[in-house]
Amino acid sequence: FTHLAQLWRTDGTAAGTFALGPAQQSLRLQAAVRSSSGYDLLMQADYARAEIWSSDGTVQGTTLRASVPLDYGSEATLPLERAGSHLYFVLPALEGQHLWVLEDGGLEPRRLQPTTGAGINSQGSGLAHIGERAIFSGCDAAHGCELWTSDGTLAGTRLLHDIAPGVSSSNPEGYFTVGSRLYLAADD
């Protein structure tokens, strides 16, 4: 007996409840964000990869955009955030968590790791955005875990502010955006 899973949608009626994608060995919806054509979805499939899907709520408008292999035992349970034409997500790896980006129209996500040993704060509360830039809690050896930003490029992924100067960590968390301002909690 093989158990298969699918992505479904409903509008609250029997007629409006139907499968959107193909059946897979294992499939878990982990996060969703609004896009210009519907939603971007982060799913974990077959215990071995994270998948980015786009859906407008119809079978014809639901497509797999990208697939990223996961390290054995990892789970794609982390945040997803859209900033302009970039879709940001965080995936675990054996050496820590890393920020990834997928551009609209792009088929290959890129890992954004500006320096060796840099990564995402596993204690942080995810991703946020201001305009076209993603904001997150990033860590490196020189600054600890602090407020970082990315414009979707490796060169544009950098420390935004060292709230607790030096190697001490401020551990930014609890992001809340109001208009063009981001509010957060951090240790200083």
Side-chain angles (χ1 to χ4, degrees), residues 29-50:
L29 178 60
Q30 301 293 6
V33 295
R34 195 107 174 96
S35 71
S36 61
S37 61
Y39 287 91
D40 293 314
L41 311 165
L42 173 63
M43 299 199 282
Q44 182 167 343
D46 299 333
Y47 305 104
R49 65 188 185 280

Side-chain angles (χ1 to χ4, degrees), residues 96-184:
Q97 298 178 17
H98 298 285
L99 182 67
W100 289 73
V101 64
L102 179 63
E103 295 178 28
D104 283 350
L107 301 175
E108 283 296 317
R110 295 184 323 272
R111 188 168 97 170
L112 299 172
Q113 184 180 6
T115 60
T116 303
I120 300 290
N121 181 3
S122 62
Q123 306 305 311
S125 62
L127 295 167
H129 78 278
I130 299 174
E132 302 279 324
R133 299 193 67 85
I135 309 292
F136 60 98
S137 179
C139 305
D140 69 10
H143 304 98
C145 297
E146 294 293 344
L147 197 60
W148 282 58
T149 185
S150 179
D151 66 358
T153 67
L154 191 57
T157 302
R158 60 178 171 73
L159 178 70
L160 177 64
H161 190 73
D162 193 1
I163 296 170
V167 296
S168 296
S169 295
S170 69
N171 296 312
E173 63 181 355
Y175 305 129
F176 186 75
T177 305
V178 177
S180 62
R181 294 204 185 345
L182 177 71
Y183 297 88
L184 61 121

